[in-house]
Amino acid sequence: MSLDVLRRSMIPITTAPTNGGCSFSVLQWNVLADWLCDAKAFPHAHDMKSLDWAVRQETFKKILATLPPFDFVSLQEVDHWSDFFEPEFAKLGLKGHFFKKQANDSADGGVLCWKEDTFEMLQINEFRLEERQSQVAIIGLFQHKASSRHVLVATTHLKAKPGFEERRAQQGAALLAKVKDVIASISLTAPPFVVISGDFNDTPDSLVASLFRGSATTQMGTITNPLGSLRSAYASHPNAKMYGSAMDVAYTTYKKRETEVCRTIDYIWYSADSAAQVVQLLEIPPIDQLPHRLPASYH
């Protein structure tokens, strides 16, 4: 089985509202930094040529051509922003903000993009989740031009590797507190709708995911979400499954380094105390439809 590029459709979840309002779409994507993508990091890649940036950038172009238009794009591990991603997204009408990780050995960072025809960017905030650590976040406040409603969108990439569950919860708490501070610092007639997306490097039953849903009990005690509670958009996916007491999509990453990993670590969180509905979700194909683990020539 071979694929030129992985093509995914939008799956209807609920009926779209007919009374106008503020409808928008969000894409979450860890693009895998070029400087982290080599045979040493991925010795089990099916085709080593697919790890080369010259090949990968053409694959990115093909994938972007197959995707539906998005109003916001949340990217992690971007190290070809100005020379590749920025001009490619500009072709799609997307303006972006890049924030490099603070570690000296990191060449990559996060990106938050928005559709300029649809949303006016009011402010962008760069935020470091911890002092002397590399993880960062971007928090943007936007106004929907058609409805004048305000939307706050954030993107982040939390600490990787097993054994850092408590650290990820603390980083998540710092991000939520910063979002709360940003909201408190602006004068609006109504609070903005909140979307926080990113690679959280942890599963739906983890401390940080529990925190985003409302609260989590850590070694330092119980911490609560200052925003109340957030929902994972992909908990509504037809292929969602139970992770302990939490529901979410079956996987968002599928790779093999030392061992095979197939789990959910990427999220699009949104305000749970609103009337918002998930109308469509980008398809997550069953594992048996993927000929090889990622990274691969088709994605």
Side-chain angles (χ1 to χ4, degrees):
M1 179 179 180
S2 63
L3 291 175
D4 174 44
V5 67
L6 182 63
R7 299 174 186 272
R8 297 190 286 164
S9 303
M10 297 299 289
I11 300 173
I13 303 299
T14 58
T15 303
T18 57
N19 59 349
C22 178
S23 297
F24 59 90
S25 53
V26 180
L27 175 66
Q28 155 58 23
W29 194 359
N30 182 327
V31 298
L32 179 55
D34 180 27
W35 78 284
L36 296 173
C37 186
D38 56 25
K40 182 178 179 180
F42 294 96
H44 303 283
H46 176 72
D47 181 1
M48 290 300 170
K49 291 182 180 179
S50 67
L51 304 180
D52 295 340
W53 176 247
V55 174
R56 294 183 68 218
Q57 64 180 331
E58 295 305 314
T59 303
F60 280 124
K61 290 178 182 179
K62 292 177 183 178
I63 293 172
L64 289 173
T66 68
L67 291 174
F70 285 90
D71 297 302
F72 296 102
V73 178
S74 163
L75 302 177
Q76 298 80 45
E77 293 197 14
V78 177
D79 58 356
H80 283 280
W81 173 240
S82 60
D83 65 317
F84 178 73
F85 285 103
E86 185 176 26
E88 289 301 317
F89 281 120
K91 296 174 185 177
L92 303 176
L94 290 159
K95 178 78 171 177
H97 184 87
F98 170 77
F99 187 26
K100 183 182 177 297
K101 288 181 180 178
Q102 60 183 341
N104 293 330
D105 62 346
S106 294
D108 64 287
V111 168
L112 179 61
C113 297
W114 61 94
K115 198 70 170 288
E116 288 191 290
D117 288 347
T118 308
F119 284 90
E120 178 184 359
M121 188 274 287
L122 302 180
Q123 64 173 258
I124 287 286
N125 300 270
E126 297 177 343
F127 180 57
R128 301 193 184 280
L129 300 181
E130 291 182 281
E131 292 295 330
R132 298 181 295 277
Q133 297 295 324
S134 65
Q135 290 75 38
V136 298
I138 304 170
I139 305 170
L141 179 66
F142 304 89
Q143 186 170 34
H144 188 240
K145 293 182 178 181
S147 68
S148 296
R149 295 185 179 179
H150 294 88
V151 180
L152 184 148
V153 183
T155 178
T156 194
H157 189 184
L158 302 187
K159 177 73 175 176
K161 306 297 183 182
F164 291 99
E165 292 78 14
E166 293 275 336
R167 175 81 69 81
R168 285 188 284 272
Q170 295 301 325
Q171 289 182 341
L175 175 56
L176 291 168
K178 181 62 175 180
V179 169
K180 181 74 172 180
D181 289 344
V182 170
I183 294 173
S185 69
I186 53 182
S187 298
L188 300 175
T189 56
F193 183 78
V194 174
V195 175
I196 302 177
S197 60
D199 181 346
F200 281 54
N201 272 310
D202 226 331
T203 53
D205 56 350
S206 65
L207 291 174
V208 66
S210 297
L211 170 62
F212 271 63
R213 287 192 297 270
S215 65
T217 302
T218 70
Q219 293 176 359
M220 299 179 65
T222 299
I223 51 178
T224 59
N225 185 339
L227 304 179
S229 62
L230 299 172
R231 292 193 186 108
S232 169
Y234 268 83
S236 303
H237 196 278
N239 292 340
K241 68 175 188 178
M242 295 301 298
Y243 290 81
S245 60
M247 177 76 76
D248 219 300
V249 72
Y251 75 97
T252 63
T253 185
Y254 175 46
K255 61 190 177 184
K256 184 174 182 179
R257 285 175 171 160
E258 295 84 5
T259 59
E260 184 171 286
V261 176
C262 182
R263 59 180 186 155
T264 293
I265 59 173
D266 300 89
Y267 302 89
I268 301 174
W269 300 98
Y270 69 97
S271 302
D273 59 349
S274 68
Q277 292 182 316
V278 176
V279 176
Q280 292 181 312
L281 289 171
L282 193 60
E283 174 191 15
I284 303 291
I287 287 294
D288 59 11
Q289 292 184 16
L290 302 181
H292 312 295
R293 308 174 194 89
L294 304 180
S297 58
Y298 59 84
H299 190 66

